[in-house]
Amino acid sequence: MRDINRREFLKIAGAASIVGLLGGWEAVELLAPGELEAKYLAKPEALTARRWAMVVDMKKMDEAIAKRCIEVCHYVHNVPDIGDPKREIKWIWLESFEHAFPHRNHEHVAERLKEKRFLVFCNHCNNPPCVRVCPTKATWKRDDGIVMMDQHRCIGCRYCMAACPFGARSFNWGDPRLFIKKGYPGYPTREKGVVEKCNFCAERLAKGLMPSCVEASKGALVFGDLAETTSEVRGILKSHYTIRRKLSLGTEPSVFYMV
Ligand code: SF4
Ligand code: SF4
């Protein structure tokens, strides 16, 4: 996705509220109230936090580990492999430094960083513009900071995609089920006409499991509670230099890069 400045960004983010007034409300009622939330209600074994956050340790992360993370995430979420960059569906992917951190190009950046590709995904922003613009509340932020997506409520308007300055959302232009090589029974597939993205593995957290990418990362991804002073994530932020993507836009990403 092209980079946008703050002014354009706020314009897009504001535009979709009109749609909310024009009749997106019926779609909210497609799902019985509380039906989806109930699926993710904390069970005794669930991992919980006040604000989930991810740290990508760029000293440990390499292309092989990153590819493994992508493979595992896309497998356990039935993400289709379309094979066409214009229509691709991605929950987690590799991005060059210039694209991941366009606002930092003018700063002094170590050569080793410029040459690296960064593993990127939904930032589960604390101030998520995608949530503000959705006319049907198909996307929302949970109390623990995870920005969720309910494909049953999605009407395919793609306002959330326009509002996300990170390109973290993908749209199913066709039937994604035709492009899933090996189906994973533990996660629902989607249909044509809906948006999807990383959910910080909410379905796994509910079962007491860490996100799939974290498990596959050999320690290069650290996931934990940003609001907990004793958490590993907080320890890293205290003692290491970290950067976040496009901070000037004010979305407050929950994904940090330890560089
Ligand atoms: S990265 Fe994009 S999709 Fe994810 S919460 Fe932020 S604005 Fe929304
Ligand atoms: S947190 Fe889960 S959904 Fe998000 S990129 Fe990692 S494996 Fe994929």
Side-chain angles (χ1 to χ4, degrees), residues 14-230:
S17 56
I18 298 164
V19 177
L21 297 172
L22 291 180
W25 187 249
E26 292 86 344
V28 177
E29 306 304 328
L30 285 175
L31 201 72
E35 196 179 308
L36 189 88
E37 288 291 344
K39 262 172 64 181
Y40 293 102
L41 271 186
K43 300 198 179 95
E45 69 272 24
L47 298 180
T48 57
R50 276 183 289 153
R51 183 177 165 194
W52 286 115
M54 184 85 80
V55 175
V56 183
D57 182 343
M58 290 307 293
K59 291 207 172 79
K60 288 189 186 156
M61 181 60 71
D62 61 27
E63 294 255 336
I65 295 175
K67 282 182 183 150
R68 179 75 195 134
C69 293
I70 296 168
E71 218 174 86
V72 171
C73 168
H74 285 185
Y75 170 60
V76 301
H77 295 112
N78 287 315
V79 176
D81 185 2
I82 310 278
D84 172 357
K86 286 201 192 114
R87 299 158 72 94
E88 74 177 335
I89 308 289
K90 52 188 178 18
W91 284 32
I92 174 169
W93 70 104
L94 279 164
E95 199 76 87
S96 67
F97 180 82
E98 300 92 88
H99 282 118
F101 301 95
H103 300 143
R104 289 189 164 257
N105 279 343
H106 60 286
E107 295 177 15
H108 171 74
V109 177
E111 283 307 310
R112 72 176 170 85
L113 285 184
K114 279 192 180 163
E115 281 159 17
K116 277 196 175 192
R117 291 205 295 166
F118 286 69
L119 196 59
V120 295
F121 29 52
C122 169
N123 286 288
H124 297 274
C125 304
N126 197 32
N127 182 22
C130 54
V131 168
R132 279 205 301 280
V133 301
C134 177
T136 65
K137 301 198 191 315
T139 189
W140 73 100
K141 190 175 85 158
R142 295 198 324 193
D143 289 345
D144 62 5
I146 298 182
V147 175
M148 297 289 288
M149 180 69 215
D150 176 7
Q151 277 83 21
H152 296 104
R153 295 186 201 182
C154 178
I155 54 169
C157 70
R158 289 174 285 132
Y159 277 106
C160 61
M161 290 180 71
C164 171
F166 304 98
R169 292 171 172 265
S170 306
F171 183 66
N172 285 289
W173 292 97
D175 181 358
R177 290 166 186 141
L178 304 174
F179 296 91
I180 298 171
K181 284 188 188 110
K182 189 176 160 212
Y184 180 72
Y187 198 81
T189 55
R190 277 73 68 193
E191 52 189 44
K192 181 180 171 177
V194 299
V195 168
E196 58 183 89
K197 70 166 194 75
C198 156
N199 64 351
F200 264 178
C201 284
E203 78 286 358
R204 290 175 57 85
L205 297 174
K207 292 184 199 147
L209 300 168
M210 275 294 193
S212 299
C213 57
V214 175
E215 278 190 0
S217 73
K218 299 185 176 170
L221 294 176
V222 180
F223 189 69
D225 192 348
L226 194 60
E228 179 55 65
T229 49
T230 56

